[in-house]
């Protein structure tokens, strides 16, 4: 089964949460941890990867916390997955040399499917997801 790890999924959720937040008021790590149900230590690992990738910025001191470093509409899910997971591999041979490559009838198919998945995830932006989540919150009262 193809599965994105919790690190990748949580990173996307954190980015949407930050996109929904007031850009003038950074969100504290403890608030992100509580709202998203992510342990503080695991969240720290995710935030470090997002910061290293240039997706979030942090501010220290009173009123400090995390905020987006880029426009949410310019950040794609695929970029977040690459930053946190190194990307997505559908099969061991996809994107790598394989000893059966010359005689493998399936490798081209895996590469085509991977390209389509990459294209789809590269079209999904954090900004678009935040707008959908924000609209849903206005219609139905629940925690995002």
């Amino acid at each position: 089964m193809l599965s994105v790890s919790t690190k990748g999924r949580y990173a996307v959720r954190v980015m949407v949460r930050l996109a929904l937040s007031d850009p003038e008021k950074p969100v504290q790590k403890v608030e992100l941890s509580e709202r998203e149900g992510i342990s503080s230590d695991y969240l720290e690992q995710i935030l470090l990867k997002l910061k290293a990738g240039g997706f979030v910025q942090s501010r220290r001191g009173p009123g400090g916390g995390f905020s987006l470093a880029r426009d949410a509409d310019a950040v794609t899910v695929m970029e977040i997955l690459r930053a946190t997971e190194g990307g997505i591999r559908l099969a061991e041979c996809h994107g790598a040399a394989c000893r059966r490559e010359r005689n493998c009838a399936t490798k081209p198919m895996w590469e085509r499917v991977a390209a389509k998945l990459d294209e789809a995830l590269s079209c999904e932006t954090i900004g678009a997801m935040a707008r959908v989540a924000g609209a849903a919150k206005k219609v139905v009262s629940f925690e995002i």
Side-chain angles (χ1 to χ4, degrees):
M1 169 172 65
L2 170 67
S3 181
V4 175
S5 77
T6 55
K7 189 171 283 185
R9 292 193 321 270
Y10 290 175
V12 172
R13 284 181 20 207
V14 166
M15 291 294 291
V16 171
R17 169 71 62 192
L18 292 175
L20 287 166
S21 302
D22 181 349
E24 299 300 315
K25 297 179 183 175
V27 181
Q28 293 182 347
K29 186 173 78 169
V30 67
E31 181 183 348
L32 282 171
S33 175
E34 289 172 1
R35 289 196 170 229
E36 293 304 324
I38 305 170
S39 77
S40 183
D41 290 340
Y42 199 40
L43 179 59
E44 180 73 26
Q45 293 174 34
I46 293 166
L47 288 169
L48 285 172
K49 287 189 177 273
L50 292 174
K51 189 173 179 183
F55 300 106
V56 300
Q57 56 193 0
S58 61
R59 186 167 38 178
R60 293 178 177 248
F66 293 88
S67 60
L68 295 181
R70 293 176 43 196
D71 177 29
D73 286 319
V75 178
T76 69
V77 171
M78 193 68 224
E79 289 178 298
I80 300 302
L81 294 177
R82 282 190 186 117
T84 56
E85 303 205 15
I88 298 173
R89 268 180 51 179
L90 297 178
E92 288 297 317
C93 63
H94 166 237
C98 174
R99 63 183 174 87
R100 299 184 51 118
E101 189 168 4
R102 290 185 349 168
N103 300 322
C104 182
T106 64
K107 184 172 181 165
M109 180 271 308
W110 289 121
E111 290 178 344
R112 284 192 310 275
V113 171
K116 289 180 185 211
L117 179 59
D118 186 278
E119 180 183 342
L121 293 174
S122 294
C123 290
E124 294 293 330
T125 68
I126 297 300
M129 291 191 317
R131 283 189 292 282
V132 169
K137 186 176 181 181
K138 289 176 186 171
V139 174
V140 180
S141 179
F142 66 92
E143 283 291 330
I144 296 176

